[in-house]
Amino acid sequence: ASLRKMGRKCDIVVGALGDERPYQEIRRIARVHQIVRRLRTLTIGVVGHVFRGMYDLECDKTKIKGTLGPNVVYVELSHLLRHWREVTSEEALAAAKPWLARFRLRGTTADELQRSCRLGVAMQRLVDHLRLDALCFLGQHYIEKETGVPARIGASLMLEAGKHQVACEGDLAGLTMMDVMAWLTGRPPLQAEWGQYDASHNALLLVGHGLGSPALAVSDDAVTLTSAPEQWGFKGQGVNLEFIMAPGPVTLAHLLDTPDGWQMLIAGGESLPYPTLPCNEIHALVRLDVPVKDFLVEIQRWGVPHHCIVLHGDIRPELLSLARAWDMRTLVY
């Protein structure tokens, strides 16, 4: 009562000394406050801008700094291209060899993978040189036209390494959520789009952007290196990862920049065991805990962006605690 009277925020835990649950709750709250502190020191580099027409992803970097914490740094394309030009053929081949040994090829070539890995090496060097914690980029007619290859494999190499989170199309809020979810669990998140719904499974088909760690798949045998599904000015077939997300409980989340301030989507579901669709893309079939059509109506009513972040495991309690720490309204399922 005194803290409330003073206007001080606090978390409340009730339990007995011999009960493990309250200690787990205290541990969870402590982790959340560690994240709040961590995000204040996070630096996100942006190469490019939000993809044209995606007004739902447009963010004010001052608002991101003021509420969420990360500092956003704009990086000139010339900085990336300088690193790209300095990558040798031997270095690109060394980056490609492990994936050539692990994954089968379809509709693309080892040379295409090597060219994509050259860009991946350059992206990693850019992050290291500027001491960035995460990277957001625009591929399409921006990076891909200049380098002649898709940036998808380069981002996926970084995501598999697990040291830096990477997102595309200027989705800074989504990238912040990716960092939160990865740091909470030590597991790789997936940036995806709402694709289609399947009423018979009460499920959503989530479609990725070719950016994702192969660890999201059930095994290396379930992963294929295919040609790129979209042509945005690069040469040749390009390379992309194709697999379906491994089955198990998942959490879906995103941050919403609204006229009423930042808000958070938090939803639970189950990634279903299902054959990989021959779509040249990372994807997931996620059964929801609520009727799928009602869910789609509500998220659109709230103005949830067309991107979502999905992660293996149920971390809804942690995300709720984070939203409370930020005084943020939530849409919870």
Side-chain angles (χ1 to χ4, degrees), residues 9-231:
K9 292 191 297 183
C10 62
D11 294 287
I12 301 168
V13 179
V14 177
L17 289 175
D19 183 5
E20 179 61 23
R21 188 197 59 79
Y23 297 102
Q24 292 174 348
E25 193 169 345
I26 291 169
R27 188 180 302 114
R28 172 177 56 78
I29 292 168
R31 288 280 287 169
V32 165
H33 285 278
Q34 282 182 312
I35 287 173
V36 171
R37 180 174 295 181
R38 166 187 161 79
L39 288 175
R40 292 179 188 142
T41 64
L42 201 75
T43 301
I44 296 173
V46 181
V47 182
H49 49 80
V50 175
F51 187 71
R52 59 178 180 268
M54 294 184 178
Y55 300 114
D56 56 330
L57 300 183
E58 291 283 0
C59 284
D60 182 330
K61 71 173 188 174
T62 307
K63 289 175 66 177
I64 291 176
K65 180 64 179 174
T67 301
L68 307 180
N71 185 41
V72 177
V73 177
Y74 294 130
V75 180
E76 297 298 331
L77 179 58
S78 59
H79 295 163
L80 174 62
L81 294 179
R82 176 169 59 83
H83 289 290
W84 173 71
R85 284 190 290 268
E86 292 173 354
V87 178
T88 66
S89 298
E90 292 76 17
E91 289 169 328
L93 179 59
K97 269 186 174 180
W99 278 28
L100 286 170
R102 290 167 59 191
F103 310 129
R104 59 184 173 270
L105 293 169
R106 191 189 74 227
T108 190
T109 65
D111 180 66
E112 291 276 5
L113 179 63
Q114 185 175 338
R115 294 199 305 121
S116 285
C117 287
R118 178 188 176 191
L119 179 55
V121 173
M123 292 166 69
Q124 183 63 63
R125 287 183 180 174
L126 176 74
V127 167
D128 293 340
H129 177 71
L130 297 178
R131 299 182 181 180
L132 303 174
D133 300 298
L135 181 66
C136 198
F137 71 91
L138 178 66
Q140 283 98 351
H141 287 302
Y142 197 72
I143 291 176
E144 297 178 5
K145 188 174 184 299
E146 292 296 324
T147 62
V149 295
R152 295 160 173 256
I153 290 297
S156 297
L157 286 169
M158 294 175 66
L159 288 166
E160 184 178 39
K163 188 178 177 182
H164 303 96
Q165 295 304 311
V166 187
C168 66
E169 295 183 338
D171 187 1
L172 295 172
L175 182 54
T176 302
M177 180 57 76
M178 288 175 69
D179 188 85
V180 166
M181 296 170 85
W183 198 80
L184 270 172
T185 64
R187 293 189 290 271
L190 174 67
Q191 181 191 30
E193 294 189 355
W194 314 104
Q196 300 176 351
Y197 73 89
D198 184 333
S200 64
H201 289 87
N202 195 53
L204 289 166
L205 176 66
L206 304 179
V207 183
H209 290 80
L211 286 64
S213 168
L216 289 161
V218 69
S219 70
D220 281 0
D221 291 339
V223 178
T224 304
L225 294 170
T226 72
S227 57
E230 299 177 3
Q231 170 54 258

Side-chain angles (χ1 to χ4, degrees), residues 1-12 29 32-33 36 40 66-67 320-328:
S2 299
L3 290 173
R4 288 289 296 161
K5 189 174 182 179
M6 296 174 188
R8 302 279 184 88
K9 292 191 297 183
C10 62
D11 294 287
I12 301 168
I29 292 168
V32 165
H33 285 278
V36 171
R40 292 179 188 142
T67 301
L320 271 170
S321 292
L322 178 60
R324 282 196 293 270
W326 277 333
D327 286 329
M328 194 176 287

